[in-house]
Each structure stands twice: as structure tokens, then as C-alpha cells.
């Protein structure tokens, strides 16, 4: 009895260890690694400043230079850089975007200008602004910050897309785990895929209704949000079905470890991916939650620009999970058939009969 109790409790113990260990290791001390920022203006002006910043900041930031403020705004608006610094802005430069709510603004601001896009990740604004705020202080100037793509007034915490991505990921692996646990091998592959597809559509609709029409936290082109949700459930669900072939009743442990405990910090949805440890950063473009949260953010704030690569990643996860499951089942059936054929063969006599 004691051994049975211990075996049962090993599962929640492992879940606790994984959650606390991975989340704490990844996010307890966020430090930038190659966070991209830019300096805009004539080369004679930006060159020395960029060189000084590179020397001071080291590998924490990647500092580039651009010749025009228009180019700098394009880089920020398209998420190519986290922020762009303009040492000598024109009056027209000061009217682009909206005043950043993250930084105080005096009635008559002067000095250098910093472009940011809080919709690209509110947590990275302070990190991107820090080096330039220090430069402005050293030069006894005020740094004016303009937000080119501000957050929605219904999503001021910048967490709505993150929680929607968590819910869709949860729907993917929990549905597959429940189907595997309750029905086992009694549910054919075709019915499993059909059940996941139907459930994915329902889950995507539910998440959209709650976060969109009901709460107003997530907005954008509804069909694109629904497609993102359905692809997420299929990607995570079919990958979990493949895991169930090896893990059985313990499938929930590797599934939640991969898609949630590793997927959350690797997605960059909670904190900028540039602040994560190297092993987590390496998973950024691989795990499904990056594509889910990235798709929702692009739909909500960036006119779905570049969403095709996120959808492709989710589709590849779904196809890979299905193909690998089919291959594993076919190989297992072949081995089982071979063993059965061997067992059913009549035994040969120990010695051949002598011919007369």
C-alpha cells in the first residue's frame, strides 16, 4: 500500500518540481541578451554614440545605426528593433506616435527622442529605454519617449494574448491526455483525430468569445483568431497523442513540461525572449506557444503581418505528430504480427526422420 501511494504521489511531485524549477530558472533574474536597438541620424553623429554604446553594453544589446528617422520608425513598428534613439529630432519627429505612458513627460519636452512599440511587448520597453535614458541623464537632457504601436486600452497589462495562448495550449494537451487515458487503444486513430479537430474548433470559439466579445481584451480579425486557436489545439493535441504511445498514463507529465513549463518562458509572452537563458532562447522558434502568442499579437496589433510563418509552425507540429504516430503504430503492428507468426509456427522435430 505504501509503495502504491508513493508511486501515485510521484506525479504531482514531479509537476511541482518542473514548474518551480523551470519557471524560476528562466525568469527569476531577467537580463537582456542581444536585445536589438537602433540609433538614427547622420553617420557622423550616430557612429561615435553607437560605438560607445557597444563598448559599454557588451552583449546585452545589439546596437545598429540608421540614416533617417523614418527608417527608424519602420524598424520599431515592424518589430525589427525594440527601440530607436534619435539624438537630434526635428519637430516632425516629435509628433510621431503617442506619448509613452511608461515614462513621465514634462509640459515642454526637449532633448533626444526614443521610439518604442509597447504592443510588441510592454516588458521590453523599459529594457530598451534604459541605455538611452542613461545617455540623456549624462548629457543633462530629458528623454522624450513616443509609442508608435501602443497597447489597447482594454489590454494595458499586455497579458491578454498570453492567457489566450495558455488556454489554447491547455486545451490541446489536456484533450489528448483525456482521450488517451479514458479510451486507451479502444479509440481508433481516425476517431481521435476527428475528436481533436471538433474539440479544437469548439475550444477556439470559446476562447475567442471570452477574450473578445465578452471581455473585449483580445480584438482583431475573428477568423484569423479562430484559425490560430484551432491550429494550436491540433498541433499540441496530435503531438501529445504521439507522446502517449510511449508514456501511457504518465503522458500529462512530458506534455505539460514541454508545451507549458518550457513553452511559456520560451514564447516571450511573459518576458522578452532576449532576457531568457540560452537553452530557453534556443526553443523560442520551435515550441507551439511562441506561434500561438505571436499570431494573436500580430492579429491584434500588427495587421496579421508575418502570421503565415506562425501558422506554418503550428501546422508542422500537427502533421509531425500525426505522421510519427502512424509510423509508430505501423511499426508496432508489424512487430506484433511477426511475433504472432513465430509463435503460431509448428514446432519441428528435434531430429529429422530417417529415410527408409
Amino acid at each position: 500500500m505504501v509503495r502504491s501511494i508513493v508511486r501515485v504521489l510521484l506525479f504531482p511531485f514531479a509537476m511541482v518540481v518542473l514548474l518551480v524549477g523551470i519557471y524560476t530558472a528562466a525568469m527569476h533574474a531577467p537580463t537582456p541578451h542581444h536585445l536589438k536597438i537602433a540609433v538614427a541620424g547622420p553617420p557622423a553623429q550616430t557612429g561615435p554614440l553607437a560605438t560607445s554604446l557597444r563598448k559599454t553594453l557588451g552583449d546585452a544589446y545589439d546596437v545598429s545605426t540608421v540614416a533617417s528617422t523614418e527608417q527608424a520608425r519602420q524598424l520599431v513598428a515592424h518589430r525589427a528593433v525594440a527601440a530607436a534613439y534619435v539624438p537630434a529630432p526635428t519637430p516632425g519627429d516629435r509628433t510621431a506616435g503617442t506619448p509613452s505612458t511608461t515614462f513621465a513627460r514634462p509640459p515642454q519636452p526637449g532633448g533626444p527622442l526614443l521610439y518604442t512599440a509597447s504592443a510588441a511587448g510592454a516588458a521590453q520597453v523599459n529594457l530598451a529605454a534604459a541605455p538611452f535614458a542613461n545617455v540623456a541623464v549624462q548629457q543633462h537632457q530629458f528623454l522624450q519617449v513616443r509609442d508608435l504601436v501602443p497597447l489597447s486600452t482594454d489590454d494595458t497589462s499586455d497579458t491578454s494574448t498570453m492567457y489566450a495562448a495558455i488556454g489554447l495550449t491547455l486545451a490541446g494537451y489536456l484533450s489528448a491526455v483525456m482521450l488517451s487515458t479514458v479510451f486507451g487503444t479502444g479509440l481508433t486513430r481516425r476517431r481521435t483525430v476527428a475528436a481533436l479537430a471538433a474539440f479544437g474548433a469548439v475550444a477556439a470559439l470559446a476562447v475567442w468569445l471570452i477574450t473578445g466579445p465578452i471581455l473585449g481584451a483580445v480584438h482583431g480579425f475573428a477568423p484569423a483568431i479562430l484559425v490560430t486557436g484551432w491550429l494550436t489545439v491540433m498541433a499540441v493535441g496530435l503531438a501529445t497523442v504521439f507522446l502517449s504511445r510511449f508514456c501511457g498514463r504518465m503522458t500529462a507529465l512530458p506534455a505539460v513540461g514541454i508545451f507549458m513549463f518550457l513553452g511559456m518562458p520560451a514564447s516571450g509572452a511573459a518576458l522578452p525572449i532576449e532576457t531568457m537563458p540560452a537553452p530557453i532562447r534556443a526553443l523560442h522558434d520551435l515550441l507551439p506557444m511562441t506561434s500561438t502568442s505571436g499570431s494573436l499579437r500580430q492579429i491584434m496589433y500588427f495587421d496579421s503581418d508575418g502570421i503565415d510563418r506562425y501558422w506554418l509552425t503550428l501546422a508542422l507540429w500537427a502533421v509531425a505528430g500525426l505522421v510519427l504516430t502512424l509510423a509508430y503504430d505501423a511499426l508496432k503492428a508489424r512487430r506484433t504480427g511477426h511475433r504472432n507468426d513465430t509463435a503460431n509456427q509448428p514446432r519441428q522435430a528435434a531430429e529429422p526422420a530417417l529415410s527408409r
Side-chain angles (χ1 to χ4, degrees):
M1 177 63 71
V2 174
R3 289 184 178 180
S4 299
I5 293 175
V6 170
R7 282 197 297 268
V8 169
L9 293 180
L10 278 177
F11 178 79
F13 177 76
M15 294 280 279
V16 170
V17 170
L18 283 174
L19 187 149
V20 175
I22 294 176
Y23 278 12
T24 305
M27 298 186 285
H28 75 288
T31 304
H33 302 276
H34 298 286
L35 183 63
K36 294 181 179 180
I37 54 178
V39 181
Q45 184 182 59
T46 59
L49 176 58
T51 300
S52 175
L53 286 171
R54 292 187 189 108
K55 183 178 180 180
T56 302
L57 302 175
D59 293 336
Y61 295 82
D62 284 346
V63 184
S64 60
T65 59
V66 293
S68 69
T69 54
E70 175 62 27
Q71 187 178 0
R73 288 193 290 269
Q74 289 294 322
L75 290 174
V76 174
H78 289 86
R79 303 177 65 181
V81 297
Y85 180 74
V86 185
T90 66
D93 295 332
R94 297 187 185 279
T95 61
T98 60
S100 173
T101 57
T102 307
F103 299 87
R105 182 190 181 201
Q108 296 180 340
L113 179 67
L114 185 70
Y115 291 124
T116 64
S118 57
Q124 75 177 7
V125 171
N126 284 326
L127 288 173
F132 302 117
N134 292 335
V135 170
V137 169
Q138 292 171 3
Q139 297 176 352
H140 305 287
Q141 293 177 316
F142 169 79
L143 179 65
Q144 183 186 7
V145 182
R146 305 288 294 184
D147 197 339
L148 299 179
V149 191
L151 289 168
S152 166
T153 55
D154 296 315
D155 184 37
T156 55
S157 65
D158 191 29
T159 56
S160 298
T161 56
M162 178 184 70
Y163 289 131
I166 290 174
L168 292 166
T169 302
L170 189 69
Y173 73 75
L174 272 186
S175 58
V177 167
M178 292 302 296
L179 289 173
S180 174
T181 302
V182 174
F183 296 101
T185 57
L187 196 64
T188 64
R189 289 190 302 268
R190 181 175 297 179
R191 289 184 177 180
T192 299
V193 174
L196 285 175
F199 178 76
V202 173
L205 181 62
V207 170
W208 171 73
L209 284 172
I210 294 170
T211 60
I214 295 176
L215 298 177
V218 175
H219 55 78
F221 189 49
I225 296 175
L226 294 174
V227 169
T228 298
W230 184 80
L231 283 174
T232 300
V233 175
M234 294 301 291
V236 177
L238 288 174
T240 303
V241 169
F242 175 64
L243 288 175
S244 70
R245 296 301 194 263
F246 300 93
C247 305
R249 294 183 179 181
M250 297 298 290
T251 301
L253 187 59
V256 74
I258 295 170
F259 300 120
M260 188 67 72
F261 296 161
L262 287 174
M264 168 56 69
S267 71
L271 291 174
I273 188 60
E274 292 86 359
T275 65
M276 296 293 105
I280 299 295
R281 296 200 305 273
L283 298 174
H284 176 65
D285 293 325
L286 300 178
L287 296 182
M289 193 180 291
T290 299
S291 295
T292 304
S293 60
S295 294
L296 295 175
R297 188 180 291 276
Q298 294 300 99
I299 294 168
M300 189 168 175
Y301 292 113
F302 299 95
D303 297 322
S304 299
D305 180 41
I307 197 174
D308 52 343
R309 68 183 181 92
Y310 291 129
W311 285 2
L312 177 61
T313 299
L314 292 173
L316 288 174
W317 268 93
V319 171
L322 179 58
V323 170
L324 289 172
T325 300
L326 292 173
Y328 177 86
D329 289 350
L331 181 61
K332 184 177 180 180
R334 181 180 297 179
R335 289 179 175 176
T336 302
H338 178 71
R339 285 197 298 267
N340 291 339
D341 291 342
T342 303
N344 291 332
Q345 287 180 357
R347 292 184 179 181
Q348 296 181 351
E351 294 182 0
L354 296 175
S355 59
R356 294 183 180 179

